[in-house]
Amino acid sequence: MRALRILLIFVVILGGLFVVADRIAVNFAEDEAADRLKTTENLPSTPDVSIKGFPFLTQVAGGSLDDVEVGIKDYEAAAGDDGRKIRIDDLQADMKGVEFSGDYSSATASTATGTATIAYDELLKTAKSEPTQVAPGVTANVVGLSDGGNGKIKVTVEATVLGTKLPEPVSVLSSVKVENGTVRVHADGLPSFGGVDLAENRVRAITDFQQKIDGLPGGIELDTVQAAADGVEITVKGSDVRLAG
């Protein structure tokens, strides 16, 4: 019995040491992965990387990680071909089946899903913010975006008719969707500017707008979008997503 007791104590101690070694190794790997991702994507700050699953060391031995979560704050994505950028406040991605090279210089996830948020003030930059003539004597421009409820964006437009600015801005509820990597905002109806009848295409030249978003980390792409309290919430997805290398 004494020998069995000693053996059990020895096994418990070894198990404890393995757990400690495993956690030290995973923390080191998370820091290394975060630094590599920062360099690969040219990020201004170090992202959060969390490697899920236990034990970590047996996953490493197999050359594949089951689940890696990545969080990037204030990511600047390309907003078209003219060099403009659009800020994504919070990009969270869950990477599944991460395969890495023997020297850990590259890592690729078989699939990825996640979420991102673009604030309304950031999206407003893509709307026509300068007054534009929509009819003789009538100019208008978008001055605000906000949550309209039920997944709609409230687009607020300011107008000037025959040199006189309307006393109150007009608003219209708009639908938002993702199409071919582009966020599109489309008015459900048309606002009235002081009772002046305007051609629909001229009004939509103000109320409707779109924003292409390119160059998300690792090649992930926009999937869906909906209006929320502080901005538009986007889901992202991808396959063969490159984390490093």
Side-chain angles (χ1 to χ4, degrees):
M1 291 296 294
R2 176 179 172 80
L4 179 59
R5 188 180 302 113
I6 292 174
L7 178 61
L8 288 174
I9 293 173
F10 182 68
V11 169
V12 170
I13 292 174
L14 281 182
L17 290 175
F18 175 78
V19 171
V20 171
D22 192 81
R23 294 302 88 191
I24 291 174
V26 76
N27 290 336
F28 176 79
E30 288 171 345
D31 291 343
E32 286 293 305
D35 288 339
R36 285 186 180 274
L37 184 58
K38 178 183 178 182
T39 300
T40 300
E41 297 295 337
N42 194 28
L43 302 176
S45 60
T46 303
D48 294 325
V49 175
S50 178
I51 299 174
K52 304 299 181 180
F54 178 84
F56 166 71
L57 291 174
T58 58
Q59 295 183 68
V60 171
S64 176
L65 302 177
D66 297 333
D67 189 357
V68 179
E69 294 181 356
V70 176
I72 301 175
K73 301 290 187 182
D74 298 327
Y75 181 79
E76 288 196 338
D81 299 328
D82 56 1
R84 290 182 299 114
K85 301 286 187 179
I86 186 167
R87 188 185 75 251
I88 298 177
D89 289 336
D90 191 9
L91 176 61
Q92 301 287 330
D94 187 9
M95 313 287 188
K96 302 290 189 182
V98 179
E99 304 280 345
F100 50 87
S101 61
D103 61 357
Y104 308 108
S105 61
S106 65
T108 304
S110 60
T111 62
T113 57
T115 59
T117 303
I118 300 176
Y120 285 121
D121 61 350
E122 190 72 12
L123 190 61
L124 181 61
K125 297 175 183 178
T126 70
K128 293 183 180 297
S129 58
E130 295 298 323
T132 301
Q133 183 171 308
V134 294
V138 181
T139 60
N141 62 296
V142 176
V143 294
L145 301 176
S146 59
D147 181 19
N150 297 320
K152 304 290 185 179
I153 294 179
K154 181 181 178 182
V155 179
T156 303
V157 181
E158 194 173 71
T160 298
V161 179
L162 299 177
T164 301
K165 182 180 295 185
L166 296 184
E168 296 291 339
V170 296
S171 298
V172 60
L173 291 180
S174 299
S175 299
V176 58
K177 66 178 181 179
V178 168
E179 191 175 78
N180 297 324
T182 299
V183 176
R184 300 185 186 277
V185 178
H186 180 82
D188 294 349
L190 298 178
S192 174
F193 301 119
V196 178
D197 291 330
L198 301 175
E200 179 175 346
N201 64 328
R202 301 301 296 271
V203 178
R204 289 197 178 279
I206 300 297
T207 61
D208 296 6
F209 58 94
Q210 62 187 37
Q211 176 59 67
K212 189 170 182 61
I213 299 177
D214 288 324
L216 293 177
I220 57 177
E221 299 176 344
L222 305 184
D223 187 20
T224 65
V225 63
Q226 67 175 1
D230 299 320
V232 293
E233 294 181 347
I234 297 171
T235 62
V236 297
K237 65 179 182 179
S239 57
D240 296 327
V241 176
R242 176 178 48 81
L243 276 76

